[in-house]
Amino acid sequence: MESGGVGTMKSDTDDKLPSIESNLFEAMALEAVQIALSGNIKRGISLALNARGRARAAQDERAELAALSAASRCHSMNNDALASFSSGIDAQALAQKLGDQRSLGHALCSIASSAFVLRLIDASIPVAERAIAEAVDLHDDDLESRARVILGENLGNLQRFDEARRQLELALEAARRLGAAGLQNRAHAKLGTLAAKEAEYFAARDETSGVERACSVALQCANEIILLAKEQRNSTLVVSMLGLRARVHEFRGEWVAARDETAAALALARQSAYLSPIPPWSLRLAALLIREGDFAGARSTLEEGLRTAENLRPSFRIGELCEALMQLEQRTGDTAAAAQWQERVDDERRIFEVERERASAILAAHDWRRPLQQ
């Protein structure tokens, strides 16, 4: 369970007893994370922000830190990179001020997990490694599992597959020690998505046997997690694993099954207000529809994905969706519409690059290594 309480580092406020109000705000923050982990991410974000506002009004910095950490973590689960990054930076500064090592670790996790959406994956590695160091020092299995999942996912994005797998296996071990079903399922699911990344790597090199091995691992993981997630009513995890199964169908050339599974994942994502997978899976579904010659369906899918991506700014997916629409118009012979979409592609990529460079500068200004002990 996430804790917003005092870690092992000392501060001059360690001997102060928390007020009843402070305990209430921190309890709200903890509940927000648990609600988000159970699949209701929007409700978790709302509760965390409510707790932060009340803590600030009461001028209670420790309660504000707990709520800020919870908000950052919930934003991270929702792939709201800018909100998660900003909250994480604020939480990191407040945690260091108050000497709260555990909250510092969770703030570092939120900063690192924002990196994929901001396209700063290399820069995230030392941040996640620092979070792991804090977790190990605290013997905090919750923080360790979370930090290792983030590091494993980003290593996978860098195609460092063996290192990524090891981190995810260690994350699963930490979750099992804690007895946290939600964290176990998350780590297990990330092992499945790692296998899909490996399948994509092998497919690009026409290594058929490697593709099939990776697909088998991914499919087994997806099927197991879907059963568990349905029992726990975790719709976001079901959505993720439906999308993973769709990818396996694609790699195997099972185009109709891939289309139907992707459409099912998108429908459930919309129904459960789980926004982050909608833009990338809209791109996938559109490509499958174009393969069938359904250009109108592809256009509608891309436009809906774009509307969702616009609510997740900053997102590199906006440029990708605009580019896909431009290419679709070129294919159907509407050169004027294609030219308009090309202008939009250029504009959106400039906007994203501004936010990316801003975040990159903040990351570069910090030394993420642990300070030497005196």
Side-chain angles (χ1 to χ4, degrees), residues 53-303:
R54 293 172 68 174
R56 292 191 75 178
Q59 298 184 327
D60 186 333
E61 286 189 320
R62 287 203 177 279
E64 182 183 355
L65 175 58
L68 187 59
S69 297
S72 182
R73 189 169 181 181
C74 293
H75 283 307
S76 176
M77 291 181 218
N78 199 43
N79 269 20
D80 189 339
L82 196 59
S84 179
F85 185 83
S86 298
S87 298
I89 291 293
D90 289 346
Q92 177 220 7
L94 190 52
Q96 289 182 321
K97 174 184 176 182
L98 297 176
D100 188 332
Q101 190 176 359
R102 182 167 288 108
S103 291
L104 172 62
H106 281 295
L108 292 168
C109 283
S110 293
I111 294 167
S113 68
S114 305
F116 173 69
V117 182
L118 291 168
R119 281 295 199 248
L120 295 169
I121 301 173
D122 284 309
S124 80
I125 301 300
V127 186
E129 290 174 337
R130 170 71 185 279
I132 292 170
E134 301 296 340
V136 171
D137 188 49
L138 287 168
H139 304 287
D140 186 327
D141 291 326
D142 174 36
L143 176 56
E144 182 181 348
S145 182
R146 185 187 178 206
R148 290 194 188 279
V149 162
I150 293 165
L151 179 57
E153 185 170 23
N154 283 341
L155 287 170
N157 290 328
L158 295 172
Q159 297 182 345
R160 292 162 61 178
F161 298 125
D162 290 340
E163 295 172 77
R165 187 177 299 101
R166 180 58 181 155
Q167 290 300 324
L168 293 173
E169 288 168 348
L170 290 170
L172 188 55
E173 288 178 17
R176 284 171 175 159
R177 288 196 301 267
L178 190 64
L183 288 175
Q184 290 180 58
N185 290 343
R186 184 165 181 255
H188 190 186
K190 293 299 182 183
L191 282 165
T193 58
L194 177 65
K197 291 171 188 175
E198 289 182 286
E200 186 172 18
Y201 173 87
F202 288 126
R205 289 155 180 79
D206 293 323
E207 296 182 26
T208 307
S209 60
V211 172
E212 188 50 40
R213 282 197 307 272
C215 281
S216 295
V217 172
L219 186 60
Q220 180 180 350
C221 178
N223 288 336
E224 290 173 357
I225 293 295
I226 285 172
L227 289 175
L228 292 170
K230 284 182 176 178
E231 288 176 6
Q232 297 163 7
R233 298 183 179 180
N234 188 332
S235 59
T236 59
L237 202 51
V238 174
V239 168
S240 296
M241 294 299 97
L242 286 175
L244 179 56
R245 284 204 314 211
R247 289 292 283 160
V248 170
H249 289 309
E250 281 190 63
F251 291 130
R252 288 176 168 173
E254 299 163 353
W255 305 115
V256 173
R259 180 202 64 200
D260 292 346
E261 200 93 73
T262 305
L266 276 169
L268 184 56
R270 296 186 198 102
Q271 179 184 330
S272 56
Y274 183 28
L275 301 183
S276 60
I278 293 177
W281 293 347
S282 295
L283 285 162
R284 289 178 190 164
L285 181 57
L288 292 165
L289 292 171
I290 289 171
R291 183 183 182 87
E292 297 176 350
D294 184 359
F295 299 135
R299 183 180 290 105
S300 175
T301 298
L302 290 169
E303 288 172 347

Side-chain angles (χ1 to χ4, degrees), residues 21-36:
E21 236 184 6
S22 179
N23 285 334
L24 172 62
F25 300 150
E26 292 191 29
M28 288 171 65
L30 289 171
E31 184 183 358
V33 172
Q34 294 308 311
I35 288 171

